[in-house]
Amino acid sequence: MSASQISDVPPSDVPTLLVKIFGKDRPGITAGLFDTLAAYSVDVVDIEQVVSRGRLVLCALVTEPTVASQGELRATVHSWAESLKLQAEIISGTGDNRPRGEGRSHVTVLGNPLTAEQTAAIAARIAETGGNIDRVFRLAKYPVTAVEFAVSGCGTEPLRTALAVEAHGIGVDVAVVSAGLHRRAQRLVVMDVDSTLIQDEVIELFAAHAGCEDKVAEVTEAAMRGELDFEQSLHARVALLAGLDASVVDKVRAEVRLTPGARTLIRTLKRLGYQVGVVSGGFTQVTDDLKERLGLDFASANTLEIVDGKLTGRVTGEIVDRAGKARLLRRFAAEAGVPLAQTVAIGDGANDLDMLNAAGLGVAFNAKPVVRRAADTAVNVPFLDTVLYLLGITREEVEVADGGEELLH
């Protein structure tokens, strides 16, 4: 057997044919085309097929048959296509497809809705950055429209920078990650809790029972904007809870509201073999309950001190602040056996910044402006499961995995 016969692709000077089929999709078209081509002993170099709203585009790149049978092949393919009310086009050329450029990335665009104007702006900016769009497909149609572009020809970092500016200006969310096997490898996902995994700020729920909700909310907001030192603000807020009966813990747990899509996100990640954890500037009295309810692998937070059935207004143990969250991400990754480059961190506040920057992919979820600017990507829709699309997981895959059965309650 010659070297050319065992090569994965034909040499650049070997004649090839691009056979394109268009028309109404139905079972058996792909088999029929290749059955027709088989009579001419051609080799398959590449295949691509797309079906949109019941209309099919099927492309087959094959080696050219002998000169004597080339005309017959063309006539036979056209005749076969006409018999099925399809259109056929056959283009002569040489060799394989043009190689993709160096530097390959996945660009995920989220819109609610996604307009033609927004799509044009993203595509134009990719081209301006030197990138070529090799493939486009839809990941989801609800609760948002999610589309992924496979891009080559430019580096991931400059592409991410350029598209972040464009996305902010046109009102869509864009994530850019480098292509490679690591994208589907086992990962660790670590989330903030307050205003990320849940819709609430836990300390404000406690404060409502102490009658000091407004004071605590004011300090919380300033801390999340990065205007106050987190540890100092934590001690100041917790001090306002002194004297509360410990029974308030169960009441707060019952009041916690998960963010829409949180169960779907965690359930899907766990089914894919991911490990999932939470880190919080809130309290273990709540995060431990969430860990049990949601089947999380890791959870860490501050702990409210309780003495003689009352909250003392103090916290015990190591403080989980901005630096602490990043430290815990690294600790969880080491325990999970996952390289830091394959971790995903999700958060909304300034105290999440170190964690977002340390992770392989940092996602700002409905975040403050300072966090959106610093993170790898931002999601500004109220559905936490949209993070799945940034990982290349389609809505269809989620639904098939669910099979209509809720496994977490």
Side-chain angles (χ1 to χ4, degrees), residues 151-175:
V151 177
S152 63
C154 62
T156 297
E157 288 304 324
L159 184 61
R160 178 182 291 150
T161 300
L163 291 182
V165 174
E166 190 67 42
H168 179 73
I170 63 177
V172 297
D173 296 332
V174 176

Side-chain angles (χ1 to χ4, degrees), residues 23-92:
K24 184 178 180 180
D25 187 34
R26 74 203 75 170
I29 291 177
T30 305
L33 172 63
F34 285 97
D35 187 51
T36 302
L37 294 172
Y40 300 93
S41 301
V42 299
D43 296 331
V44 177
V45 178
D46 197 4
I47 311 171
E48 188 145 354
Q49 180 172 309
V50 176
V51 177
S52 182
R53 252 178 61 176
R55 307 296 294 182
L56 169 138
V57 179
L58 169 60
C59 297
L61 185 64
V62 298
T63 54
E64 196 175 82
T66 63
V67 175
S69 60
Q70 187 175 152
E72 182 183 341
L73 179 149
R74 289 174 180 270
T76 303
V77 169
H78 280 288
S79 177
W80 166 80
E82 288 172 7
S83 73
L84 296 176
K85 298 182 178 179
L86 301 169
Q87 292 180 293
E89 181 181 5
I90 303 176
I91 304 170
S92 297

Side-chain angles (χ1 to χ4, degrees), residues 6 10 32 41 44 56 115 122 141 147 204 248 251 287 296 302 313 334 357 393 400 402:
I6 63 173
S41 301
V44 177
L56 169 138
T115 68
I122 292 297
K141 61 183 178 181
V147 178
E204 293 178 13
V248 76
K251 295 176 183 178
T287 58
L296 302 173
N302 300 301
N357 290 330
I393 301 164
V400 169
D402 280 348

Side-chain angles (χ1 to χ4, degrees), residues 167-214:
H168 179 73
I170 63 177
V172 297
D173 296 332
V174 176
V176 182
V177 298
S178 60
L181 290 175
H182 65 274
R183 196 178 189 215
R184 286 295 185 122
Q186 185 185 34
R187 286 189 176 187
L188 168 69
V189 177
V190 176
M191 289 175 275
D192 173 44
V193 175
D194 293 9
S195 298
T196 301
L197 178 63
I198 66 174
Q199 300 177 58
D200 313 282
E201 292 288 332
V202 168
I203 196 165
E204 293 178 13
L205 296 180
F206 277 100
H209 292 280
C212 57
E213 186 176 11
D214 290 343

Side-chain angles (χ1 to χ4, degrees), residues 191-356:
M191 289 175 275
D192 173 44
V193 175
D194 293 9
S195 298
T196 301
L197 178 63
I198 66 174
Q199 300 177 58
D200 313 282
E201 292 288 332
V202 168
I203 196 165
E204 293 178 13
L205 296 180
F206 277 100
H209 292 280
C212 57
E213 186 176 11
D214 290 343
K215 292 181 180 179
V216 166
E218 183 178 333
V219 178
T220 298
E221 186 64 24
M224 291 300 98
R225 290 194 301 265
E227 297 171 2
L228 293 176
D229 173 79
F230 178 81
E231 183 170 352
Q232 291 178 338
S233 70
L234 175 67
H235 289 305
R237 289 175 291 173
V238 170
L240 296 170
L241 307 181
L244 272 179
D245 192 271
S247 63
V248 76
V249 169
D250 289 333
K251 295 176 183 178
V252 167
R253 287 175 173 175
E255 292 167 351
V256 165
R257 300 167 300 162
L258 292 174
T259 298
R263 289 185 184 277
T264 301
L265 172 67
I266 294 169
R267 180 174 63 245
T268 303
L269 292 173
K270 296 292 289 180
R271 285 175 173 169
L272 290 172
Y274 286 46
Q275 297 189 60
V276 185
V278 293
V279 292
S280 177
F283 310 112
T284 57
Q285 283 83 356
V286 171
T287 58
D288 287 350
D289 180 61
L290 290 169
K291 181 182 179 182
E292 182 177 351
R293 286 167 53 195
L294 299 174
L296 302 173
D297 300 285
F298 305 98
S300 189
N302 300 301
T303 299
L304 291 169
E305 185 181 62
I306 298 175
V307 176
D308 297 330
K310 301 287 185 181
L311 273 65
T312 66
R314 296 187 294 271
V315 292
T316 62
E318 183 182 8
I319 297 297
V320 179
D321 56 7
R322 176 170 167 169
K325 287 188 173 186
R327 186 167 56 250
L328 287 163
L329 170 71
R330 293 186 177 93
R331 182 189 304 170
F332 293 168
E335 292 178 13
V338 173
L340 200 60
Q342 289 173 209
T343 61
V344 179
I346 311 168
D348 74 299
N351 65 330
D352 297 314
L353 279 172
D354 289 3
M355 175 178 72
L356 297 180

